[in-house]
Structures are given as C-alpha cells and as structure tokens.
Amino acid sequence: MSGFAIEFCRSGAGSSIVHANRMAAALRPFGDDRKASVTHGPFAIAWVQSAGFTPQDRFDFQPASARERWHLVMVGRLAHRDELAEKLAIEAQQCEKLPDCELVMRAWCKWGEACRDHLFGSYSVAICDSAERRITAFRSQERSQHIYWYRDRNRLILATSPKAIFAFPDIAREIDDLKLADLLVLNHEDATRSFFRNVSVLGSSRMMVTGLGDDEPRITYHDPLSALPEIRYGSDEEYVEHARELLGRAVKSAFRTPGLPAVSLSAGLDSTAMTVAMIEHMRGEGVAASGALKSYTGVPQSNWDGRVRADRLGDESGPVRAFAAMYPELDPHFVSAEGVPGDREVVLIETYADMPVRAASDMAWGSEIWRQSRADGHRVIVSGVGGNGSISMAAAHGLFARWFRTGRWLKLLREARLRAASNADARPVSSVAQAAIANLPDPLYDRYLQFRGYDANVGFEAFSAIHPGFAHDARVRERLAQKGWDDRYRPKNDRREMLRTMLMRGARNDTGGLIEPYRAMTGIEGVAPLEDRKLVEFCYAIPDDQFYAGGVDRRLVKRMMAGKLPREVLTAPRGEEGSDWHSRRERDLSRLREEIVRLADIPSIANRIDTARILRVIDNWPAETPVSANDYPEYVMARHGIGRALSVARFVNQVEGRN
C-alpha cells in the first residue's frame, strides 16, 4: 500500500520542504516502510510505501524522475508488464527489477499523455513537469484509488487521501451535504465530488492537466470502449480460445506477489472459472502441489435460520466442496465470521478512508476473509469481482426484450422454448412475460414491482433512511434525474449498454476511495482478473450470441469451462452474500437502538438521518429472516438502509469530533 501528495504553487514560487514533510506525515497510515519528501521548483512532493505486495516493491522509491524534468508518483499495480516492457525495448531480466513507477515513467517519456493506451491494471498517477511547471494526473479504467484535489488562488494540492489536504490547517474539513445525500440514496453518478466541501475527486478514466496561469484544470474523460470495432470470428471456438487466452494472461498478473495469492471463492461461475485458470497457471509453472492454493468462502454463522430469497443459495459451501474435490491443488477454508457484528469494521475503515461506507451491512464476512488470508501469510487475494461484466455476462434478458420490442415473435417463442428445455425454472410463458415487462413504461413497471412485493415506494424511499427534509433540501430527486440514474435499478435491455453502465457508472467510481484504505486496514491487496481491461474490451466487442444462444445464457463462460466445473456449480442458484444478516443484526439490536437514540439528539445527524424510522424498524424487528416486503414491509430498510445510515452518522460524528 502507498500514498502520495503534491502541493503545486500556482504562482510559480518555490515550494516548501516543510509542506512536503507535513503531507508525508499525514499519509503515514498508508505506508511506513519508505517515505520521501522532496521539492522541485513549484512542487512539494510526498510519498509513502508499505512494501511486500510485489517482488518489485523492494526496488521502488518515488518520485521516479527522468530528464531532470519529470517527477512521477503512483499507487496501484500494473498488469501485462511483459507486453509493456517489450514495447519499451526493456529486456525481461531487467524488467524483473523495475518497479511499476519506473515502467510508467518510461511509457510517459515515450508516448506522453497517450501512454494510457499502453498501460493496464489498477493505477493512479501524477507527474510534475518542472520545465513547463505543469502537473498531469490520471487514473486507469480499472478500479483505482481516488486522486483528491483542492485548489485556491495560490496552490493546487493533489493527494490519494484527504488527510494530506487537511494537513494544511487553513483548509476547513467540512462535509459536502450533496455528496452525503447522494450516498444515502445510492446516486453514485457524480464522479467529481468528495465528501468534503471544496475537495474534488479525479474520477476513473480521467486525466487532469493544469499549469501556471490556468484558470481551471483541464479534465478529460478517456472512454476506451467508444472506438472498439466489433470482433467477428469464423467459428464459435475461436471466441472461446481467445477468451481463455485473455483470462490466462489476466490471471498471470495476479501471481506477481511473494509466495502464492489466496482466492476469495464462491459457488458462482465467476470465481470458480477464475480459480480454474489460476490452477492451470500453477500447473504450467510447476507450483501446483496438493493444497497449494488456499481459498476462502463466506458461509452463514450457526444461528442462521436458513431463510433466503427465492432462487438464491444462502450457503455456498456445498458447491465449493464439490469444486474442491475436482482440484487437489485447492485448500478450501470456510469463514463464518461467527459472532462478529456486521458493522464491526465501519468506523475503522472510515478512519482510514475519510468517507462513509455504502455496503456497511455486509462488511463482516468480507473483511474476515481478508484478515484470515493475511494471517495465513498472503499479501494478495484474488476475487471473481467483475465477471458479470466480462466472461460470465448474462444476455438473455436484453435479447428477449429486444425481440419483443422489434416484433420478432417467432424468434422469441422459439428461444423461450429452447431456454425452458435447458433450464427447468425458465418456463416459456414466463420468459415471454419478462420480455414484455422489460418494455413497460415506467409507471406500469412500478406497478409491477409493487405487485411482486416491493414497498409502495419502489425508489430510494424504500431503501434509504435519508431524512425527508434533507432529501428535499439536497434536491435528491432532481439530482437523480440530472445524472440520469434510475434508483429502481431497472435492468438495461442491451448487453453493451449494461456493460458500459457497470464500467463507467454507479458505485464503481466511489469505491475508488476505499482501495488503499482497505489495503492499509487489512494488510492485503485485492486483485480482480475478470476486470482486466483486455478481457473486458474483448467481451464488449464480440457478438451477443457468444453470451446467449440456443436457450443457454452466460454461454461464453460455460463453454470456456466445459468439463472443468462440477454439476453442483453449474446448477447452483445465484449466491446470497450475507444471507445471515437478520440473525447477525438481531444480536446487536439493543446496542444499535441505544446508538440511534443518542444520534437523534445530535441535530447535524437527526436532520440528515430519519432516526424515527430506523427506531420503528428496530422496534418491529421480524422474528425470522424476511426475504421480501411481503414478509416485512421494511425489508430493504432492515437489511441495507440501517447499516448505511449508521455509517453516514458515524462519519459525521468523526468529522465533527465526536468519535
């Protein structure tokens, strides 16, 4: 883990080493193995690092400099280093000792701003140009750490943590109410706001350039999907082989760590397919001994009542055990986080990240997996996150809706029958009905949701504990409309549009504020090969029929894994993460109630959070796990809204000095 910060004196005056030291001290939670505080003309630069995540960490020292002009700092991890080294004419033996920052610097020297086209992985970079007295910062398309920035008449401060910005005592640490309201209603579409007034965020896939005399920074958005030509091969098998090759190369990058990585493994196609690719890589490298690859699977704690939503799997241990039986290299571990409060880590991660947590109710099992894998000696854990936006994407919904909308009735009926033949739960009538429902106007679609057991409010009012007055003052509805975000989460009717939404919109950008903080908190780095840019771009460009045809949905990954997965995985329902949420929270109700009562007496919280509604939910807690609003009208609030509201309240307390 690491962090950087830069103060740029916009007047052109010389920078202060005192300021560099101040920022480095503020960044200390993100690294204490190495640090640097340097000045170059108008730039004061701070960098910190904790080593041990990659073999090249021991060679890393930043800022990396070139031509007595450029000074570069970065956080993150490059993928496909061997390809980049070849383009840069760097021999493999030499590349083994070059840290990522040096490769990025050489790419910058060769291609300038266009170097982004040649860089892959999860990275955030800033480059100070002491000749032109200009600063350039950019982030990858893949998940990368936020770059925060503050600007006034005299200076620009860039940092991977707000802590470095607030190290300057004249910069006020004040909450941005619009961003706080956005989080409470899950509107993540503003990629420029932080949770603090006057502190902005450089969003994913964006570049900032600013120099002396510039009134405003120039910020551009890099959309690698927009210019992708469609890929057409002569046979289905060519798509499968290319996908296998890309997955293997993406997985190879995850092995750039001391020892072996661990695996966060579920019963789904995403993580099992990725694990197969990891084991095949290990076999090719001759390190595939029995039990060599440790996996960690979240399972419910012992007092779970077994209730789960229809067509969901609440305990994924059965299919995982069947999968492990096929691969002796796998050493499965099952993590229940027994007795761990669901909100145990909330305050700690907020302390590192200086932001509230969106999924506060589901942190227990995830953080416990990371902790256990770190205790077992791992520095990297690999997950199947992102598979539904690449190799395992489902396309049936969008295609059926399109055939209904365009009047291709015979095609629709034929495919509905084929789908029923391969999936007992997909009756032809149901498939046609869902295609019709997907094309309903919004008011009729809302009525359908209510009929299916959703709350009378099908938007944010159903799941958010935002105070109505705060929602009104923050213009929540107007902001949702302005940003084009549907708070009912109506599925897209086009596969490419859905993939673009996953990549470019939604919570993916906001989670950029948690990457380095989560690494600092747990001591372990998360890697997601299924989000690899090469793999995602390939999946975007190939035809729809590679994902659905002849009654088979998620067709690409199933063909890639033919003969490599057990029946228990192939037929498993979708997993339900945190299925034991009801019993886990029930044990903490009295503590949570006391906290809510205290919060209700704090105006800055009570005016933002509907504490009365939360107390009603707690006081009417259902006796067993509800699975829909038909079971319990406040089902979504009980499961998700309370945890998110408490995360926001604790963040407000922290900023205002009450924690």
Side-chain angles (χ1 to χ4, degrees), residues 610-626:
D610 193 345
T611 54
R613 183 179 179 185
I614 296 175
L615 287 173
R616 286 195 301 271
V617 174
I618 290 176
D619 290 341
N620 293 282
W621 196 253
E624 57 183 8
T625 305

Side-chain angles (χ1 to χ4, degrees), residues 351-420:
T351 301
Y352 278 104
D354 293 293
M355 63 179 286
V357 182
R358 175 181 65 94
S361 300
D362 296 324
M363 288 194 66
W365 68 272
S367 58
E368 195 65 19
I369 283 175
W370 283 46
R371 288 185 184 280
Q372 288 198 26
S373 58
R374 181 68 188 101
D376 289 338
H378 299 288
R379 299 308 303 269
V380 166
I381 188 164
V382 185
S383 76
V385 169
N388 60 351
S390 59
I391 60 172
S392 69
M393 193 168 195
H397 171 87
L399 289 174
F400 278 48
R402 182 194 304 167
W403 295 328
F404 183 93
R405 184 171 60 255
T406 56
R408 298 184 66 186
W409 309 108
L410 292 178
K411 173 76 169 176
L412 174 60
L413 291 172
R414 183 170 61 251
E415 290 293 341
R417 292 192 185 100
L418 289 172
R419 194 177 182 198

Side-chain angles (χ1 to χ4, degrees), residues 190-324:
D190 193 336
T192 65
R193 271 183 198 276
S194 81
F195 287 92
F196 298 98
R197 293 178 186 171
N198 302 318
V199 176
S200 299
V201 168
L202 184 65
S204 296
S205 299
R206 288 168 173 82
M207 173 177 281
M208 169 195 286
V209 181
T210 188
L212 299 182
D214 290 346
D215 292 333
E216 294 289 340
R218 172 173 63 88
I219 297 178
T220 55
Y221 178 68
H222 180 61
D223 180 2
L225 299 180
S226 60
L228 285 180
E230 187 172 4
I231 294 174
R232 290 279 181 178
Y233 292 149
S235 69
D236 276 2
E237 188 56 30
E238 289 182 83
Y239 295 105
V240 173
E241 287 304 313
H242 195 173
R244 284 178 180 150
E245 177 195 353
L246 291 172
L247 177 59
R249 286 157 63 184
V251 160
K252 178 184 175 182
S253 295
F255 281 87
R256 188 166 64 94
T257 183
L260 290 175
V263 181
S264 177
L265 179 62
S266 73
L269 292 173
D270 298 337
S271 62
T272 51
M274 179 201 65
T275 304
V276 168
M278 293 178 70
I279 291 172
E280 291 176 344
H281 171 81
M282 291 166 62
R283 289 173 178 173
E285 295 293 312
V287 294
S290 179
L293 184 62
K294 286 187 171 66
S295 68
Y296 300 84
T297 301
V299 295
Q301 57 185 0
S302 58
N303 64 345
W304 175 50
D305 59 14
R307 287 177 54 82
V308 68
R309 287 185 289 174
D311 302 323
R312 294 297 178 101
L313 183 64
D315 183 350
E316 301 184 71
S317 59
V320 169
R321 292 183 195 278
F323 175 67

Side-chain angles (χ1 to χ4, degrees), residues 82 84 190 220 246 250 257-258 326 332 347 363 397 453 515 538 582:
D82 52 347
L84 179 61
D190 193 336
T220 55
L246 291 172
T257 183
M326 288 184 65
V347 172
M363 288 194 66
H397 171 87
I515 293 174
F538 169 76
H582 173 266

Side-chain angles (χ1 to χ4, degrees), residues 134-145:
R134 180 172 61 219
I135 189 167
T136 303
F138 55 90
R139 289 176 58 193
S140 61
Q141 172 194 305
E142 292 155 84
R143 293 179 197 265
S144 58
Q145 176 60 33

